[in-house]
Amino acid sequence: MSETQGDAEPATRAFLKTLRADASRRFWAGGRFAFFHAWGKLGGDPIFRELLRRGLLPSGARLLDLGCGQGCLFAWLLAAQSLSERGQWLPDWPPAPSFQYLRGVELLPRDVERAAATFGGHPLVQVEQGDMTQVDIGSVDAVTILDALHYVDHAAQERLLQRIRAALPPGGLFLTRVGDASAGWSFRMSNWVDRAVTLARSHQPPHLFCRSLGEWQALLTGLGFEVDTEPMSEGKTFANVMLVCRAPA
Ligand SMILES: C[S@@+](CC[C@H](N)C(=O)[O-])C[C@H]1O[C@@H](n2cnc3c(N)ncnc32)[C@H](O)[C@@H]1O
């Protein structure tokens, strides 16, 4: 059951406010756009909170985030870790995860530049410019792709997911969020927003390669993942679904 930020207890709301501020502050180094983008995203998108509240990311993990943008996820996780180290963690939440490294791959050079300005020199973080369908996945314990899989065509999605499955150790985690193409008007709404944002960001006519939730589940279970699904568009009229996929232990 998801707990909306509006419904959350005052202590949880105060904690999330601090976490958002700490994570976003890091992006001042990348400029005003980087800061306000992070501020909006980390305050308005439930997936960041839910990753921590549900304790989905394994501790001590080597994490790869494909299509990582400017690295909002990494800033969030680092801020969580440092709040936890300062003893400011919610007692009813699982412990904050720590990481061996946080590696991101992003196609757009401008996002990579913002990430470099933000995290440059951080011992745990590396964000590189590249195409997620081409990069070496390397040794990983967890892979995330948040709202980015539908930018590559269906055959490339399948090859990439196969490579992720092969790279993960038993018990390893693949976590993604996709739009459910069978969800009617709410999917059409999110698809329209996606097209507009893609056009504005990359100045390329957008080609999006979507699937129904059933098709995503069939593809991932066919690759040998155990798959849990959870709606993840709280507060928005979108048809986003989080897929928590585990390589069997
Ligand atoms: C909607 S944004 C999500 C960014 C990030 N995952 C987040 O949640 O903040 C999708 C990102 O995927 C990136 N992307 C699209 N195709 C890609 C590819 N083939 N390889 C790497 N990144 C890609 C886009 O440039 C964009 O930054």
Side-chain angles (χ1 to χ4, degrees):
M1 172 90 63
S2 96
E3 178 189 75
T4 67
Q5 198 156 330
D7 295 340
E9 291 172 5
T12 307
R13 277 208 301 276
F15 170 78
L16 289 169
K17 205 170 147 193
T18 307
L19 186 48
R20 174 195 198 183
D22 287 3
S24 306
R25 194 175 305 118
R26 193 180 277 279
F27 286 99
W28 271 126
R32 286 170 65 85
F33 176 89
F35 172 79
F36 284 110
H37 177 69
W39 177 260
K41 185 140 201 146
L42 295 172
D45 188 333
I47 200 164
F48 296 102
R49 180 197 65 221
E50 291 303 302
L51 287 177
L52 299 175
R53 191 177 74 85
R54 296 166 189 240
L56 292 172
L57 297 170
S59 219
R62 298 160 296 178
L63 174 67
L64 171 64
D65 187 25
L66 296 172
C68 65
Q70 65 178 24
C72 288
L73 175 64
F74 296 162
W76 179 258
L77 296 173
L78 291 173
Q81 218 179 344
S82 94
L83 277 178
S84 165
E85 281 162 10
R86 301 201 308 263
Q88 297 175 31
W89 197 247
L90 288 173
D92 53 343
W93 278 22
S98 59
F99 297 93
Q100 277 183 56
Y101 64 71
L102 300 164
R103 176 184 169 217
V105 175
E106 166 55 45
L107 194 60
L108 289 185
R110 264 175 304 153
D111 278 300
V112 178
E113 282 161 23
R114 283 194 282 269
T118 301
F119 299 104
H122 193 288
L124 292 186
V125 181
Q126 182 201 336
V127 174
E128 62 202 57
Q129 195 275 325
D131 181 338
M132 64 180 160
T133 64
Q134 305 296 325
V135 290
D136 182 16
I137 295 190
S139 300
V140 285
D141 303 296
V143 179
T144 49
I145 306 182
L146 304 182
D147 310 324
L149 257 179
H150 61 305
Y151 291 107
V152 304
D153 68 45
H154 285 146
Q157 288 170 3
E158 283 159 29
R159 284 194 300 272
L160 175 58
L161 293 172
Q162 267 167 13
R163 290 198 300 125
I164 292 171
R165 174 68 185 86
L168 284 171
L173 173 76
F174 170 56
L175 191 144
T176 189
R177 181 167 60 184
V178 295
D180 174 5
S182 64
W185 69 270
S186 56
F187 171 74
R188 286 196 292 280
M189 170 79 93
S190 46
N191 202 252
W192 184 86
V193 170
D194 244 345
R195 285 174 191 281
V197 171
T198 308
L199 187 60
R201 275 165 56 85
S202 66
H203 309 293
Q204 302 285 329
H207 297 288
L208 303 178
F209 303 91
C210 305
R211 300 172 191 259
S212 69
L213 178 57
E215 288 167 341
W216 283 115
Q217 283 174 301
L219 172 59
L220 289 157
T221 50
L223 291 172
F225 282 111
E226 294 164 351
V227 182
D228 277 335
T229 67
E230 182 75 23
M232 199 51 66
S233 350
E234 177 189 295
K236 298 194 174 71
T237 48
F238 293 169
N240 292 335
V241 182
M242 177 171 72
L243 300 165
V244 182
C245 312
R246 298 207 181 266

